């Protein structure tokens, strides 16, 4: 398949820029793989990752990028015809051929169900690898990715299980984590920018000698090395590890849990920002290397990495209704290279139980404009929050009028929460906005899950027409083209397009 960008606006209009490498940088730098002569384009503005069956883009500039008229947030796969805007330049993504398996025959029901069953994610070995640009500017990379639109009740139907869960089926499951290629990320930060990277090691990997840790009160479980022993610190925190704290070979996994009604109304990203104060209190000279919202076995978490003068660590931060769960893997700095992959594998084994789906809300952190409004016009900020809450309530009340009203209600509440935390002190209206987001998100996920079920049922019954229109409705319910549900529904519609 030939993949390329066509410049449709800006310098070089009409030119094609082929995507020829697995990892490419689009920007103004002379070292960029696709150089854009535009003063408003950063040296490392966008990163493009090319896989066998998908192309992914990620914004790397504080100036921002726009995809199909909306801000580009997180790592997003492209469809042919998508328009990417960076600075004054517009690039249209195009493909000149369809994938070979689709030629000459209609996709089978089994293939369609397989597409539904698996959440399409980028291969982490490609997604997190980064070019290190010698000319990179401070606007090149943000350490914290503000992501997450719909994060409540993430996995509800067995035939739409996230890909991470599916990978546990088969022989590898009986060996615990066995040969799971679980590589998470660290962020190297400096002068306001950094790059995501992996640390790989063949030492101390989990190869079947594992123990299962299950917490019935907080309804989660994970796995850790069999030869690690239990340890309890002075505060009563449970941990498992090897060696003694302060030793050069010390390594430990600590589990922190607590319950409070406030967790149910706390955004995942914002909650982690405040949780950093607790980490700082535990470790002297704490330095956050980076953090990133991600999904592990269907659980929405914030993955993070930090270091001190003596230690290095990886961890995950999770919320579920009134519960907060943190799993933190720490070791002496001199053995981190040996245990990095073990930490990643432990964290990748984390999953919530089957008692109930995870309940969590999330919203982006305030942008510069919101923070400036909070400082310059506090009354105007409060008025804007109230207006957004009112719009959210109105859309929620009219959820049956238009397919996308629930989605738009969620977006209004999310905006209200962004504004509510923009001021130095959280606005009183935060609670109303958070409760509204919980309600709207719950209803949206229920509606999306029901629509997934309708698609799956139509496919199993062999009714291609019903499956097509059910997928079409799902696209209307979730109009954000960056969303996984929209992309899967779009692809299914392309496969099932009725002949005219």
């Amino acid at each position: 398949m030939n993949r390329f960008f066509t410049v449709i606006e800006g310098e070089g209009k009409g030119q094609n820029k082929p995507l020829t490498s697995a990892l490419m940088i689009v920007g103004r730098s002379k070292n960029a793989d696709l150089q854009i002569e535009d003063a408003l384009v950063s040296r490392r503005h966008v990163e493009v990752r090319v896989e066998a069956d998908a192309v992914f883009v990620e914004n790397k500039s504080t100036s921002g990028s726009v995809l199909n008229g909306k801000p580009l947030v997180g790592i997003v796969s492209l469809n042919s015809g998508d328009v990417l805007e960076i600075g004054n330049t517009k690039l249209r993504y195009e493909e000149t051929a369809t994938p070979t398996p689709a030629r000459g025959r209609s996709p089978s029901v089994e293939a369609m169900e397989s597409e539904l069953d698996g959440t399409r994610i980028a291969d982490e070995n490609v997604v997190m690898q980064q070019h290190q640009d010698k000319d990179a500017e401070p606007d090149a990379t943000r350490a914290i990715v503000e992501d997450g639109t719909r994060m409540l009740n993430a996995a509800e139907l067995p035939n739409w299980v996230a890909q991470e869960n599916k990978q546990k089926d088969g022989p590898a499951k009986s060996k615990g984590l066995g040969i799971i290629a679980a590589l998470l990320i660290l962020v190297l930060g400096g002068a306001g920018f950094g790059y995501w990277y992996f640390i790989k090691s063949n030492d101390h990997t989990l190869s079947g000698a594992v123990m299962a840790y299950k917490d019935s009160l907080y309804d989660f479980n994970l796995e850790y090395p069999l030869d690690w022993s239990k340890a309890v610190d002075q505060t009563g925190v449970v941990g498992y590890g090897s060696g003694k704290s302060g030793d050069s070979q010390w390594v430990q996994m600590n589990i922190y849990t607590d319950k409070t009604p406030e967790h149910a109304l706390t955004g995942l990203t914002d909650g982690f920002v405040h949780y950093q104060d607790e980490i700082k209190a535990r470790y002297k000279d704490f330095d956050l290397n980076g953090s990133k919202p991600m999904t592990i076995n269907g659980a929405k978490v914030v993955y993070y990495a930090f270091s001190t003068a003596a230690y290095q660590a990886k961890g995950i931060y999770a919320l579920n209704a009134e519960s907060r769960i943190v799993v933190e893997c720490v070791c002496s700095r001199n053995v981190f290279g040996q245990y990095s992959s073990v930490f990643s594998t432990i964290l990748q084994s984390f999953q919530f139980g089957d008692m109930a789906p995870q309940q969590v809300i999330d919203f982006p952190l305030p942008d510069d404009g919101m923070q400036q409004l909070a400082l310059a016009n506090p009354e105007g900020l409060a008025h804007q929050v109230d207006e957004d809450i009112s719009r959210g309530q109105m859309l929620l009340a009219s959820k049956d009028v238009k397919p996308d009203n629930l989605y738009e209600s969620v977006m209004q509440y999310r905006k209200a929460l962004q504004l509510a935390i923009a001021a130095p002190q959280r606005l009183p209206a935060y609670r109303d906005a958070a409760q509204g987001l919980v309600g709207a998100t719950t209803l949206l996920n229920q509606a999306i899950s029901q629509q997934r079920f309708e698609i799956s049922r139509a496919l199993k019954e062999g009714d291609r027409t019903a499956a097509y229109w059910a997928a079409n409705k799902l696209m209307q319910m979730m109009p954000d083209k960056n969303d996984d549900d929209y992309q899967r529904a779009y692809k299914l519609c392309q496969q099932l397009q009725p002949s005219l």
Side-chain angles (χ1 to χ4, degrees):
M1 176 182 292
N2 295 320
R3 296 157 168 164
F4 55 91
F5 283 120
T6 298
V7 182
I8 60 175
E9 189 171 314
E11 185 71 24
K13 183 175 180 180
Q15 294 181 2
N16 292 336
K17 298 183 178 292
L19 305 180
T20 56
S21 302
L23 180 62
M24 304 183 73
I25 297 298
V26 180
R28 199 180 71 251
S29 171
K30 294 180 179 179
N31 295 329
D33 300 284
L34 297 181
Q35 187 178 7
I36 304 295
E37 297 293 342
D38 184 337
L40 296 181
V41 171
S42 302
R43 294 185 181 183
R44 294 169 52 90
H45 204 109
V46 171
E47 189 170 275
V48 181
R49 304 161 186 99
V50 181
E51 297 185 15
D53 59 351
V55 173
F56 297 85
V57 293
E58 182 178 11
N59 175 63
K60 292 295 179 182
S61 171
T62 55
S63 300
S65 303
V66 176
L67 181 65
N68 298 324
K70 292 186 177 182
L72 175 60
V73 179
I75 301 170
V76 179
S77 62
L78 292 176
N79 294 317
S80 184
D82 284 348
V83 175
L84 179 67
E85 299 179 44
I86 57 174
N88 290 323
T89 303
K90 290 186 179 181
L91 305 171
R92 182 173 61 233
Y93 173 69
E94 298 184 41
E95 300 173 351
T96 58
T98 55
T100 301
R103 286 184 193 149
R105 62 184 180 87
S106 298
S108 65
V109 171
E110 290 80 6
M112 296 174 200
E113 287 182 326
S114 177
E115 176 68 22
L116 290 174
D117 285 342
T119 300
R120 183 69 179 93
I121 60 173
D123 178 5
E124 285 189 329
N125 288 297
V126 176
V127 169
M128 297 306 174
Q129 297 287 343
Q130 305 290 325
H131 279 310
Q132 185 174 7
D133 187 352
K134 288 184 285 188
D135 296 325
E137 296 174 325
D139 65 356
T141 304
R142 286 284 187 177
I144 296 179
V145 179
E146 300 166 6
D147 195 12
T149 297
R150 185 169 46 79
M151 301 185 66
L152 191 66
N153 300 339
E156 300 172 51
L157 293 179
N159 53 342
W160 275 61
V161 176
Q163 188 177 29
E164 294 90 333
N165 284 335
K166 290 184 65 183
Q167 291 172 341
K168 286 196 170 184
D169 295 339
K173 186 175 181 180
S174 63
K175 297 182 181 179
L177 294 180
I179 57 173
I180 295 176
L183 297 174
L184 291 177
I185 51 173
L186 286 175
V187 177
L188 286 181
F193 68 95
Y195 64 92
W196 295 98
Y197 73 100
F198 284 99
I199 294 181
K200 302 180 180 180
S201 173
N202 293 324
D203 296 333
H204 300 283
T205 55
L206 300 183
S207 57
V210 298
M211 285 290 291
Y213 176 89
K214 295 185 178 181
D215 191 309
S216 57
L217 178 61
Y218 290 88
D219 191 29
F220 72 92
N221 55 79
L222 51 79
E223 295 175 337
Y224 63 92
L226 180 64
D227 58 353
W228 286 10
S229 58
K230 185 175 182 179
V232 180
D233 67 13
Q234 296 178 351
T235 64
V237 173
V238 176
Y240 295 85
S242 175
K244 295 182 180 180
S245 179
D247 291 349
S248 61
Q249 300 295 314
W250 176 74
V251 58
Q252 188 158 311
M253 171 192 72
N254 294 317
I255 301 172
Y256 304 92
T257 55
D258 68 297
K259 285 181 179 283
T260 172
E262 290 304 310
H263 291 327
L265 301 179
T266 300
L268 186 68
T269 303
D270 185 46
F272 176 72
V273 170
H274 293 284
Y275 179 69
Q276 293 174 45
D277 292 334
E278 297 184 34
I279 306 178
K280 292 176 183 177
R282 285 199 298 267
Y283 297 100
K284 183 180 179 181
D285 301 324
F286 163 80
D287 182 23
L288 180 70
N289 300 128
S291 64
K292 185 178 182 66
M294 60 194 324
T295 301
I296 300 176
N297 298 319
K300 300 291 185 178
V301 305
V302 173
Y303 167 79
Y304 62 95
F306 70 86
S307 59
T308 70
Y311 308 125
Q312 281 191 257
K314 294 181 180 182
I316 53 174
Y317 171 95
L319 295 173
N320 186 16
E322 297 184 351
S323 301
R324 181 177 66 175
I325 302 105
V326 178
V327 181
E328 207 164 78
C329 299
V330 190
C331 68
S332 300
R333 291 182 67 97
N334 63 303
V335 294
F336 182 72
Q338 299 172 358
Y339 283 103
S340 177
S341 60
V342 177
F343 290 173
S344 294
T345 305
I346 291 171
L347 299 177
Q348 284 278 25
S349 74
F350 177 88
Q351 60 182 344
F352 285 112
D354 299 326
M355 295 176 59
Q358 181 187 14
Q359 296 181 11
V360 60
I361 59 174
D362 199 18
F363 50 88
L365 299 177
D367 58 30
D368 292 340
M370 293 176 176
Q371 292 175 336
Q372 291 174 6
L373 176 62
L375 295 175
N377 188 1
E379 292 183 359
L381 178 74
H383 178 71
Q384 184 63 55
V385 171
D386 291 339
E387 282 192 353
D388 289 332
I389 293 175
S390 296
R391 291 193 191 98
Q393 292 171 339
M394 179 187 67
L395 289 163
L396 189 60
S398 58
K399 63 181 183 300
D400 297 325
V401 176
K402 292 178 59 181
D404 64 344
N405 273 6
L406 274 175
Y407 169 82
E408 294 298 338
S409 176
V410 166
M411 299 307 291
Q412 287 295 328
Y413 283 124
R414 291 180 73 227
K415 183 183 176 185
L417 288 168
Q418 278 183 277
L419 291 166
I421 65 172
Q425 297 296 325
R426 179 177 291 178
L427 297 184
Y430 175 93
R431 179 170 291 273
D432 289 340
Q435 290 174 338
L437 181 58
V438 169
T441 304
T442 301
L443 292 175
L444 176 61
N445 280 309
Q446 290 173 350
I448 293 294
S449 293
Q450 179 60 35
Q451 202 60 27
R452 292 172 182 164
F453 176 78
E454 294 299 330
I455 296 172
S456 297
R457 181 173 64 179
L459 288 173
K460 289 178 179 179
E461 293 175 353
D463 191 340
R464 294 171 58 89
T465 301
Y468 171 83
W469 289 112
N472 188 279
K473 183 177 180 180
L474 180 55
M475 291 169 60
Q476 297 178 52
M477 296 167 63
M478 176 52 63
D480 182 4
K481 289 191 67 175
N482 296 338
D483 186 85
D484 286 341
D485 279 311
Y486 179 96
Q487 293 175 16
R488 290 197 297 273
Y490 174 81
K491 185 173 182 179
L492 191 59
C493 283
Q494 295 295 104
Q495 294 173 335
L496 297 172
Q497 182 92 34
S499 55
L500 300 177

